[in-house]
Amino acid sequence: MTSLTFYGGVKDIGGNKFLVEDRGTKIFMDFGMSFSAENQYFSEYLKARGSNSLIDMMELGLLPKIKGLYRRDYAKHMGFGGDEETEINAVLLTHAHVDHCAYIRYLRPDITIYCSEESKLIMQSFDDTGNGEQYLELTEKFGFHKSEKGSTKDLMVKDSGVKTPRKIQVFESNKKFNIDSIEVTPLPVDHSISGVHGFILATSEGMLANTADIRFHGRRTQDTEKFVEKCAESSLDLLLCEGTRINKTQSPTESDVENKVTEIVNDTEKLVICGYPTRDLDRLQSFYLAAKATGRDLAIEPRQAYLLQLFNSSSKLKGLYPSPTDKHIKIYIPKGEWGLIDKDISVYTRKLLDEDYKVWAREFLDYENKIDYRDVSAKQSQFMLSLSDFKLQELIDIKPNEGSSYIRSLTEPFDLEMEFKQKRIENWFTRFGLITSEKKWHQVHVSGHGDGNQIKIVIENSNSKKLIPIHTEPKNEVYHKKWHTNVQSVNPQDSVKL
Ligand SMILES: [Zn+2]
């Protein structure tokens, strides 16, 4: 018997966690976080309790109640088993967006994660430069440790710091592999982050495919086309098909973004500031090419330089994206904890300057192409500065001149909370003269998801006997039904036999 259980990712955009069971083989496709489910209960200051996170999240329906799935240190401490063997063979990861991968951090390290090289490096950048995500390496918690005297009276509640690497298995695009009874073909598809793969699974009861998040209008149209062709050749019994933007009819392309940005930069006399997703390297590429075409340098924050460094250190991915030492790239060093970047180094020593930054960021202080606000401020017409929403304070030091522009290349708000946050960002750019009541910022963005016309092609050309809509709002499943005669609509926690 082969079955699929949907622990998230249906009647919802993201939070994908699909358990595939086939003759005793059990694999999860993705293990992501649902923004909508988390937002129902949690906020910045109201979170799952660290001491009880698994239980808190299971009680709220955010994590599946499955013994043997979660890290032993958490499970034992929180009273959810932890001594049993796991029945889950693996997680197959489509891509490293948090709605697909965030809850991997709770899993046992001996459950193998199959992912692309790109996904692995993106998760590594989260581990190294983020807030303790622990995707690739776990640090043991809740261990009691004897003091030096060795007496049980002196037990200390202190994290041991023991690190355990997760089992990560990097797959090759288009190259089949087996997880016990299931044969997996990972096929690259186009989406707004590198290394995204859809999957075709050959099980004992039939063939099934998962589109992952998919579009045709990025820099990898052919990947999506080939994925659909492969689906058609595979006589699919079931297609799990996303529908995030299935109710939309148009999508500008990634090269439209590049052209539009180039045009805006050409029309800007002074500084160009841009905001785009840090980990979307295809979008970075658009801004980089626009910088090159207009004779400017693209100044990026250390976090993005770190990711470029990881990609350029991989023999498989080297040269795909600009290196952080590329002649059109500058590394913008923001002020650190003490703000020593512009202080007299003979007083404040190089050692202190190093300590002003996180360990991972220090190497960039040695880069010849590093710059700071003084360089940008002095030569505004020479730069495109990538500035994230969390570093807007730099505007205070940079002081953009009249004739500067802001290009925003991020999703527009789709709920009240996001509108509220966006208003705050507008206040910053208004304050520093980049936007006025007459002149708005330049919104130049394309989505990671195909519109209805694109998804219709995926559905019709995949030629699957049955279809289950995933990664979409409940109201939008009507579109899947319009374009396929055998659509099964499923709810979270539902199990379906193949
Ligand atoms: Zn997604």
Side-chain angles (χ1 to χ4, degrees):
M1 191 193 83
T2 306
S3 71
L4 267 159
T5 309
F6 296 84
Y7 288 104
V10 288
K11 301 260 192 313
D12 191 4
I13 295 178
N16 293 20
K17 293 183 252 347
F18 310 144
L19 179 64
V20 186
E21 297 181 62
D22 180 63
R23 290 189 296 193
T25 306
K26 294 186 181 184
I27 57 178
F28 265 102
M29 280 197 281
D30 291 337
F31 207 71
M33 175 190 87
S34 158
F35 284 106
S36 63
E38 281 236 347
N39 282 336
Q40 270 187 303
Y41 302 106
F42 295 144
S43 69
E44 202 179 343
Y45 300 106
L46 177 62
K47 290 182 160 49
R49 293 165 293 178
S51 61
N52 207 50
S53 52
L54 293 180
I55 306 292
D56 286 4
M57 293 177 70
M58 286 189 286
E59 287 301 320
L60 297 171
L62 304 175
L63 283 177
K65 281 185 189 171
I66 299 175
K67 288 253 168 83
L69 183 56
Y70 300 106
R71 18 189 313 182
R72 288 180 198 264
D73 52 349
Y74 282 24
K76 283 184 190 171
H77 190 72
M78 297 169 198
F80 191 67
D83 287 320
E84 65 286 309
E85 290 306 309
T86 187
E87 289 180 5
I88 306 296
N89 300 68
V91 173
L92 267 177
L93 182 65
T94 59
H95 64 295
H97 270 153
V98 289
D99 59 326
H100 298 258
C101 72
Y103 292 163
I104 284 176
R105 72 184 74 158
Y106 295 111
L107 298 177
R108 274 197 196 177
D110 48 336
I111 297 175
T112 309
I113 310 291
Y114 289 85
C115 65
S116 63
E117 171 91 350
E118 293 92 331
S119 297
K120 182 185 163 192
L121 295 179
I122 293 162
M123 289 193 287
Q124 189 181 334
S125 82
F126 272 112
D127 277 8
D128 295 348
T129 74
N131 304 307
E133 273 82 355
Q134 305 194 10
Y135 283 124
L136 303 188
E137 193 177 65
L138 276 66
T139 307
E140 188 206 333
K141 246 192 123 161
F142 308 121
F144 284 86
H145 302 280
K146 285 182 184 162
S147 72
E148 275 164 26
K149 288 178 210 154
S151 149
T152 48
K153 264 196 302 186
D154 298 315
L155 281 178
M156 294 193 296
V157 183
K158 193 176 164 233
D159 294 340
S160 67
V162 173
K163 293 184 189 299
T164 313
R166 209 177 271 293
K167 275 195 198 162
I168 303 284
Q169 192 71 47
V170 171
F171 54 65
E172 302 265 341
S173 299
N174 308 306
K175 208 167 156 191
K176 288 181 180 153
F177 60 93
N178 282 79
I179 304 174
D180 220 339
S181 69
I182 300 175
E183 183 193 74
V184 181
T185 313
L187 299 154
V189 295
D190 185 24
H191 180 49
S192 51
I193 194 168
S194 298
V196 188
H197 285 73
F199 296 116
I200 294 178
L201 307 187
T203 72
S204 55
E205 303 279 327
M207 304 291 290
L208 81 97
N210 175 356
T211 60
D213 290 358
I214 198 167
R215 65 176 177 188
F216 287 96
H217 59 260
R219 293 187 182 276
R220 302 155 201 281
T221 310
Q222 287 174 343
D223 284 348
T224 300
E225 286 168 355
K226 280 191 197 132
F227 170 76
V228 176
E229 272 169 38
K230 274 276 172 214
C231 284
E233 287 166 17
S234 303
S235 317
L236 294 181
D237 296 286
L238 175 62
L239 175 68
L240 309 178
C241 183
E242 80 121 312
T244 317
R245 289 180 67 245
I246 199 166
N247 57 336
K248 301 282 192 290
T249 52
Q250 277 183 338
S251 310
T253 66
E254 191 62 41
S255 66
D256 290 337
V257 170
E258 184 190 327
N259 296 336
K260 183 74 194 155
V261 170
T262 308
E263 202 179 291
I264 296 164
V265 179
N266 269 327
D267 289 343
T268 303
E269 249 180 76
K270 298 294 178 180
L271 182 61
V272 177
I273 297 178
C274 34
Y276 58 82
T278 305
R279 293 181 174 86
D280 182 355
L281 295 181
D282 284 355
R283 183 59 48 82
L284 167 124
Q285 187 81 354
S286 297
F287 279 86
Y288 167 78
L289 292 171
K292 239 172 134 173
T294 56
R296 293 200 186 213
D297 291 336
L298 179 65
I300 59 175
E301 289 175 30
R303 187 163 273 126
Q304 196 166 40
Y306 191 86
L307 184 60
L308 287 181
Q309 175 75 294
L310 285 178
F311 271 66
N312 277 285
S313 306
S314 152
S315 56
K316 210 189 265 182
L317 305 171
K318 196 176 172 58
L320 220 55
Y321 298 105
S323 136
T325 53
D326 183 281
K327 69 177 172 35
H328 283 282
I329 297 279
K330 296 277 183 276
I331 317 293
Y332 181 85
I333 311 284
K335 276 193 175 156
E337 292 284 308
W338 280 49
L340 300 185
I341 191 79
D342 60 356
K343 300 275 190 284
D344 183 352
I345 195 88
S346 65
V347 178
Y348 286 97
T349 73
R350 173 58 203 258
K351 184 172 168 285
L352 286 182
L353 178 64
D354 268 344
E355 286 169 9
D356 209 10
Y357 294 91
K358 295 258 166 64
V359 176
W360 65 265
R362 288 178 193 165
E363 65 173 298
F364 299 112
L365 295 169
D366 289 321
Y367 274 43
E368 272 175 30
N369 61 340
K370 73 162 193 296
I371 56 168
D372 61 49
Y373 73 90
R374 292 167 296 182
D375 305 283
V376 176
S377 194
K379 298 172 186 165
Q380 302 205 3
S381 57
Q382 285 184 20
F383 294 108
M384 288 169 66
L385 173 66
S386 160
L387 196 64
S388 74
D389 288 352
F390 311 103
K391 282 276 178 264
L392 299 176
Q393 310 95 316
E394 294 295 310
L395 291 169
I396 294 168
D397 301 328
I398 294 167
K399 298 185 177 34
N401 286 332
E402 205 184 320
S404 299
S405 326
Y406 176 54
I407 305 173
R408 191 165 176 83
S409 194
L410 293 155
T411 319
E412 288 188 81
F414 50 79
D415 61 33
L416 276 174
E417 206 174 322
M418 287 174 83
E419 276 174 30
F420 204 72
K421 283 182 180 160
Q422 174 141 321
K423 182 74 194 121
R424 192 181 300 140
I425 292 156
E426 281 173 20
N427 292 341
W428 279 91
F429 287 103
T430 307
R431 178 100 196 168
F432 291 93
L434 286 127
I435 58 172
T436 62
S437 52
E438 294 88 52
K439 184 188 146 203
K440 299 196 87 174
W441 62 43
H442 304 275
Q443 173 71 27
V444 187
H445 177 65
V446 299
S447 168
H449 304 275
D451 56 48
N453 297 327
Q454 298 178 31
I455 300 300
K456 184 169 183 261
I457 293 171
V458 175
I459 293 174
E460 290 181 348
N461 294 1
S462 296
N463 211 13
S464 173
K465 294 184 189 74
K466 188 162 122 180
L467 184 150
I468 291 177
I470 57 167
H471 209 284
T472 193
E473 290 177 68
K475 69 174 168 64
N476 284 338
E477 292 186 357
V478 291
Y479 292 92
H480 293 95
K481 287 173 186 158
K482 205 158 80 176
W483 299 320
H484 197 288
T485 50
N486 185 16
V487 172
Q488 183 174 2
S489 169
V490 304
N491 290 307
Q493 316 299 328
D494 279 359
S495 280
V496 171
K497 284 198 181 74
L498 199 64

